[in-house]
Amino acid sequence: MKVCGMFTLDLKNQTKLCHDSLENHIINQKLFQPNTNFEDYCNFIDLQYRITEALEQKIIPYKEYLKKEFNIDFVSRATEASKELQYINKIPTNLIFKTELKDDFESCLCALYILEGSRHGALVILK
């Protein structure tokens, strides 16, 4: 259990800047105010699309390896957000989300950790 806690803490530390950036983004802040409207929701989905698209670029090269070696089925959140944007007739913006993560397996795990929702992500990775 100690290894699990250390692993989770290490991932948390490595992804802190990314988490803080997302949490404090103006669209996320606006979405959780009492006067949220449909346009705010559309902007939120667009932001989620761009963020998940960027993070998934760190995971996709390892998708088959994750499945074969760890039995982790990677599900694209960017694809789901893209479908939602199509459903609400919103064209994705040209927003570019840059991440400090490198293009290696450790960064793949960090991106997976973020996309899976931190604690749940750590459990998915550890399984």
Side-chain angles (χ1 to χ4, degrees):
M1 189 65 170
K2 190 171 185 170
V3 172
C4 175
M6 290 172 44
F7 175 76
T8 302
L9 183 60
D10 190 41
L11 279 175
K12 182 178 180 180
N13 290 336
Q14 289 185 51
T15 59
K16 183 175 180 2
L17 289 176
C18 196
H19 272 282
D20 290 348
S21 166
L22 296 175
E23 185 176 325
N24 294 310
H25 194 282
I26 191 167
I27 293 176
N28 278 339
Q29 293 298 313
K30 194 170 184 181
L31 189 67
F32 293 103
Q33 294 178 359
N35 58 348
T36 301
N37 59 38
F38 185 68
E39 183 179 346
D40 294 333
Y41 172 75
C42 293
N43 290 333
F44 175 76
I45 296 299
D46 185 49
L47 177 65
Q48 293 299 308
Y49 171 64
R50 290 302 180 187
I51 291 168
T52 55
E53 181 183 52
L55 289 171
E56 287 178 7
Q57 295 309 308
K58 306 299 179 186
I59 299 170
I60 290 171
Y62 299 96
K63 184 178 175 179
E64 290 180 26
Y65 180 71
L66 288 169
K67 177 62 179 166
K68 181 180 175 189
E69 297 297 322
F70 304 102
N71 200 29
I72 294 175
D73 288 313
F74 172 68
V75 177
S76 172
R77 270 104 179 136
T79 299
E80 295 303 314
S82 176
K83 288 177 187 176
E84 180 69 9
L85 289 172
Q86 289 174 1
Y87 179 74
I88 59 179
N89 293 317
K90 175 155 177 73
I91 297 170
T93 62
N94 292 328
L95 175 73
I96 296 173
F97 180 78
K98 294 184 181 179
T99 174
E100 299 296 320
L101 298 175
K102 298 179 179 122
D103 292 326
D104 56 16
F105 186 65
E106 186 173 295
S107 294
C108 164
L109 293 178
C110 288
L112 188 63
Y113 172 76
I114 292 168
L115 288 176
E116 291 289 341
S118 301
R119 285 189 198 146
H120 179 256
L123 292 175
V124 167
I125 292 166
L126 285 169
K127 84 172 189 177

